[in-house]
Amino acid sequence: QVQLVESGGGLVQPGESLRLSCTASGSISSIDVMGWYRQTPGKQRELVADITSSGSINYYHSVKGRFTISRDGAKNTVYLQMGSLQPADTAVYYCNARRIFIGNVEHYWGEGTQVTVSS
């Protein structure tokens, strides 16, 4: 099992920055990928960025160039640095960990942290 605890959400104005943190505990050595998803009411949860255990990074949707995902192995923590935030970035952001098996993927989720971008 993997437990994930997020922090760092809040209310910011358009153009400002925010950093989210996610600390993992439990069977962390078995995690293959960690990432961040976001969800707004009435919409599906969407993947924003992820980082593999080997350090490969992917960005999705319109965040490339504005968001940066990174990790601190010593602290078992993944960060999402968000810049040039826009109202469209308003969502609940969820930390995600994946364990990948042949024919199956296990997902673990944090409780989510609200990010609101508004003037």
Side-chain angles (χ1 to χ4, degrees), residues 20 33-40 44-51 57-70 78-83 85 88-96 98 109 113 115:
L20 306 181
V33 186
M34 288 195 70
W36 292 92
Y37 285 69
R38 65 186 182 187
Q39 188 171 26
T40 54
Q44 278 193 322
R45 197 171 293 187
E46 63 179 23
L47 180 58
V48 174
D50 59 22
I51 181 167
I57 291 173
N58 292 289
Y59 298 100
Y60 304 86
H61 303 285
S62 61
V63 307
K64 193 170 184 178
R66 299 190 299 122
F67 290 10
T68 302
I69 189 169
S70 62
V78 172
Y79 304 97
L80 185 68
Q81 179 69 46
M82 304 183 292
L85 283 163
D89 296 314
T90 296
V92 178
Y93 284 71
Y94 294 91
C95 182
N96 168 265
R98 277 169 266 163
W109 298 97
T113 185
V115 172

Side-chain angles (χ1 to χ4, degrees), residues 2-6 21-25 27-37 47-58 60 69-73 75-80 94-100 108-110:
V2 176
Q3 295 78 43
L4 303 171
V5 178
E6 304 120 329
S21 301
C22 172
T23 299
S25 60
S27 302
I28 56 177
S29 62
S30 65
I31 296 173
D32 296 298
V33 186
M34 288 195 70
W36 292 92
Y37 285 69
L47 180 58
V48 174
D50 59 22
I51 181 167
T52 70
S53 57
S54 61
S56 296
I57 291 173
N58 292 289
Y60 304 86
I69 189 169
S70 62
R71 66 183 182 187
D72 184 334
K75 297 181 179 180
N76 301 322
T77 299
V78 172
Y79 304 97
L80 185 68
Y94 294 91
C95 182
N96 168 265
R98 277 169 266 163
R99 298 169 63 190
I100 300 173
Y108 297 89
W109 298 97

